[in-house]
Structure formats: C-alpha cells, structure tokens
Amino acid sequence: SSEYFDAGQTVYAESMPGLKFYLIVRGTARVSALSATRRDVPLAVLQDGDYFGEVEVFNGGHRNATVTARTPLLCLTLEVSTFEAVMREFIVLQEVMRQMALGRGLTTISSLGRRPRNNKLWQLI
C-alpha cells in the first residue's frame, strides 16, 4: 500500500500498537523518543529510500519511537503478514533486517537511559 502524511503529521507514536513496515518514497521524517526523564530526544532524520518499522515488527508491535513527517511524506507500506512472507522468502534479507532492528532498538533504549530487561529486543541478543 501507499500512505501519505502531511508535514507535521505523526506517522506513529511511541507505545502506539501496530505492525507495519514503511519505506520512504519521497519526503523526510523525524524519529524521536522520550528519555527516562520524559524529554523528547531526536534520534534520526530519514529521507527518500530510508525505512522504519522493522524494530516494531521484530519486537511484536512494541513501538519505542515516534515518527513525524518533517515534509510531505509518501511511504510504501507492508502489513506484517506481507513483511514476514518476504522475510521467509529471502532469509539473508531477514537476517540483515533483524540485525538492523536489534541495533536500532538497543541504541534507542540505551541512549535514552531506558534499560528494560523484559523488552523483547534484549531476548534477541
């Protein structure tokens, strides 16, 4: 599917449930998360060709960041069932995506001062 977001619109919010993979076709998005002291911390700016949502897919739907459109944003999206089918078909891609998700997720929670050991990402180590 394709989804369009206006500048300033939240694509998804931290802790909001959901399982979807996003590939940015056009535009830029800001990734941020709340620190242990509840301060909004910018983590990344994504642009054409970048992707997000893989952390949540591999983490059972737990979103640990907020993604907001900085400019008008056009994304191609895969529902979790389609994403998982692609990962089963291309095992090497699945391993690369799993490692990227692990790295992004652990960087996020450790840089924010949040270290919940019951988080599913810790179980992937």
Side-chain angles (χ1 to χ4, degrees):
S1 299
S2 64
E3 294 186 35
Y4 178 82
F5 303 92
D6 290 320
Q9 185 177 356
T10 299
V11 177
Y12 67 68
E14 187 172 351
S15 298
M16 183 175 134
L19 288 167
K20 196 182 289 185
F21 177 78
Y22 298 79
L23 175 64
I24 298 175
V25 175
R26 182 77 61 218
T28 59
R30 177 182 185 267
V31 182
S32 64
L34 295 176
S35 70
T37 60
R38 309 294 295 164
R39 182 176 56 89
D40 186 55
V41 177
L43 299 173
V45 173
L46 304 176
Q47 58 191 1
D48 300 2
D50 289 334
Y51 60 88
F52 58 95
E54 81 288 356
V55 174
E56 294 74 23
V57 172
F58 287 119
N59 196 21
H62 176 75
R63 291 181 168 163
N64 62 355
T66 296
V67 178
T68 307
R70 290 182 66 199
T71 64
L73 186 66
L74 175 62
C75 295
L76 296 178
T77 61
L78 293 176
E79 297 294 331
V80 69
S81 59
T82 306
F83 180 83
E84 289 172 344
V86 170
M87 294 298 106
R88 281 191 304 276
E89 182 73 23
F90 301 99
I91 299 300
V92 172
L93 178 60
Q94 176 184 14
E95 199 49 43
V96 169
M97 293 296 286
R98 185 176 301 281
Q99 290 301 315
M100 288 297 296
L102 178 62
R104 282 182 173 183
L106 293 177
T107 298
T108 298
I109 60 179
S110 64
S111 67
L112 297 173
R114 296 184 292 173
R115 302 182 191 278
R117 295 291 179 180
N118 61 347
N119 188 301
K120 289 183 180 186
L121 285 170
W122 291 107
Q123 298 167 12
L124 296 174
I125 296 176

